[in-house]
Amino acid sequence: MPSTSSPGASRARLLLAYIACFVLWGSTWSVVKVALEDLPPLRFAGARMMLAGLVLLPFSGLRRSRPDARTLWTLLGVGLLQIALPYGLLFIAQQWIPSSWSALLFSTYAVWLLLVGRMLLPDQPLTPLKLVSAALGLVGIVALQHEHLRGLNLSGLVVAGCLLTLLATVSISLANVLVRRSLAHVPTGLSVCVQTLSSSVLLLAASLAFESHLPGHWTPRAVGAIVYLAVGATALTYQLLFWLLSRVPLAVVGAMPLLDTLVAVGLGVVMLGERVDSSLLLGGALILSSAALANLSPSAPPPPEAIPEAPSSGEPLAPAPRRAA
């Protein structure tokens, strides 16, 4: 029987870890969409981030590396842009637009990262490849909504959902440029944990202020979604990602956001019965092509991980692939 340290076994572990990351991240959009039927968006996002931060705490290295006051405040500020604001916006937006739209719009992250990086980092020139990538992303966004625009039946809530998703994506892009510029000395695990916990407090405080009149049904479905998103799609995937980063080429890691977006769109269609039309196919193809070109750019800032991001529902944060909701 071959040992677990054989090349074949090592390749199998790498493949399983890689598949787990993009499948778990890609599934977040559908899980969020379903659980929003039970919980208000800010309360849902805050509870998810609180549990994720507590699970990540033992892996943060906080005992070995305590940030000074200035670094801590910078982490809190970046966490606002990286998690609290975008995840609040993403969860609100997903009430009004299909999960497949959310995932595709969020995948324009790579393009926004190029543009924001050009503004804030002087060593990031706008090359023709970057400009083509940005143009494809813009055309893809318009194409995604073509059916609604053609019939002039684009509702205010649908427009708001799209704009909030794009705003969340820009916020995460800005946060990741700031991480590169000001927090490169902070260990990634510590950065992710502090930002996640601090953002959970802000999200729950916002829920208390703005959602106290809204009912929350802590059904098994809602609790299961929070545990799945926090433990499986955040804590586990980040540990797998950190393990993969030193073992696979960066180009392979950079392809992960495209794969998890395809998973998100597929699950939205199969599990949630979301409509497949020419707008989704054309817009999705253009947006994914835009993201692929942005990831090919050699001078682009390194992509994060939405969620967290992301966090991202996806999990955007740190110098790894961005995450979704």
Side-chain angles (χ1 to χ4, degrees):
M1 180 179 292
S3 68
T4 56
S5 60
S6 67
S10 297
R11 285 195 294 270
R13 287 198 298 269
L14 288 171
L15 182 61
L16 287 174
Y18 189 80
I19 292 174
C21 281
F22 73 74
V23 170
L24 286 169
W25 275 334
S27 67
T28 58
W29 302 96
S30 295
V31 173
V32 169
K33 186 73 173 178
V34 170
L36 282 171
E37 298 177 15
D38 298 320
L39 295 173
L42 298 178
R43 198 176 310 167
F44 181 15
R48 178 258 181 99
M49 290 303 168
M50 178 65 76
L51 179 57
L54 293 175
V55 173
L56 287 167
L57 189 58
F59 307 98
S60 66
L62 186 59
R63 292 182 178 179
R64 299 188 302 274
S65 175
R66 293 183 181 275
D68 56 43
R70 181 177 180 180
T71 300
L72 181 60
W73 280 109
T74 304
L75 279 170
L76 297 179
V78 171
L80 173 64
L81 293 173
Q82 177 111 286
I83 301 178
L85 176 62
Y87 273 82
L89 295 177
L90 286 170
F91 277 47
I92 291 171
Q94 282 201 78
Q95 299 175 106
W96 308 323
I97 59 177
S99 66
S100 54
W101 283 36
S102 300
L104 285 168
L105 290 171
F106 190 80
S107 70
T108 61
Y109 158 82
V111 176
W112 297 113
L113 188 64
L114 293 177
L115 299 177
V116 173
R118 175 64 184 90
M119 290 187 290
L120 297 182
L121 298 174
D123 62 338
Q124 298 296 322
L126 274 180
T127 64
L129 182 61
K130 293 179 182 180
L131 292 174
V132 170
S133 170
L136 278 176
L138 178 61
V139 173
I141 291 170
V142 174
L144 187 64
Q145 302 177 52
H146 171 68
E147 293 294 328
H148 290 276
L149 291 171
R150 187 175 61 180
L152 296 179
N153 61 345
L154 198 63
S155 72
L157 289 179
V158 170
V159 172
C162 293
L163 291 177
L164 290 181
T165 302
L166 290 173
L167 179 58
T169 309
V170 173
S171 179
I172 291 173
S173 303
L174 173 59
N176 277 273
V177 172
L178 294 176
V179 166
R180 182 183 182 189
R181 191 172 71 173
S182 305
L183 293 171
H185 63 288
V186 180
T188 299
L190 178 61
S191 177
V192 171
C193 184
V194 171
Q195 291 183 55
T196 302
L197 284 175
S198 62
S199 295
S200 71
V201 174
L202 293 175
L203 286 165
L204 291 174
S207 176
L208 185 62
F210 301 111
E211 295 178 341
S212 58
H213 64 290
L214 297 177
H217 305 291
W218 294 94
T219 63
R221 177 174 65 177
V223 174
I226 289 172
V227 173
Y228 177 83
L229 293 170
V231 179
T234 303
L236 175 60
T237 47
Y238 269 106
Q239 298 306 312
L240 291 175
L241 179 65
F242 297 154
W243 182 74
L244 283 168
L245 282 173
S246 62
R247 292 171 171 84
V248 299
L250 189 59
V252 175
V253 177
M256 204 178 289
L258 306 180
L259 294 172
D260 70 53
T261 302
L262 292 175
V263 170
V265 173
L267 290 177
V269 172
V270 173
M271 293 180 58
L272 304 180
E274 294 176 354
R275 180 185 172 193
V276 180
D277 54 24
S278 58
S279 296
L280 178 66
L281 296 175
L282 177 60
L286 288 170
I287 289 172
L288 291 176
S289 297
S290 168
L293 284 178
N295 280 319
L296 284 176
S297 178
S299 56
E305 177 37 7
I307 337 297
E309 128 288 339
S312 326
S313 327
E315 307 320 288
L317 310 169
R322 60 92 184 127
R323 249 323 331 128

